Amino acid sequence: MTRVRGKITNRIRELRFQHGEMTQEQLARDVGVSRQTIIAIEQGRYCPSLESALRMARVFGLGVDQVFSLE
């Protein structure tokens, strides 16, 4: 059986601006990752670990499925 992989998208950039124009550096510090990691996740070049995804969702006060989605 062939497995079809979906693309994971996110609303991180939008959510940062809704939260007082939070910088990538601020979010990175709150999540415990580098700014470069936040950039890569925002651009869809990198999928965060489950722990990082949960931490990001917590920063925004949302569920993981409100920050990330699978197309």
Side-chain angles (χ1 to χ4, degrees):
M1 175 180 271
T2 303
R3 219 173 142 180
V4 177
R5 294 187 64 170
K7 180 178 179 183
I8 295 177
T9 59
N10 68 74
R11 298 176 49 218
I12 297 170
R13 183 174 171 80
E14 169 193 348
L15 293 168
R16 283 192 304 105
F17 283 94
Q18 288 178 4
H19 284 78
E21 297 192 14
M22 175 187 286
T23 66
Q24 292 168 330
E25 185 65 41
Q26 289 169 317
L27 179 57
R29 195 173 35 247
D30 290 346
V31 174
V33 298
S34 70
R35 179 176 169 265
Q36 289 76 19
T37 298
I38 297 298
I39 292 168
I41 294 169
E42 277 189 10
Q43 294 176 348
R45 294 185 290 118
Y46 177 75
C47 291
S49 67
L50 178 57
E51 180 180 357
S52 292
L54 289 165
R55 289 178 187 271
M56 276 185 237
R58 183 179 289 167
V59 166
F60 297 124
L62 299 171
V64 173
D65 62 331
Q66 295 173 296
V67 179
F68 297 94
S69 59
L70 182 62
E71 293 182 347

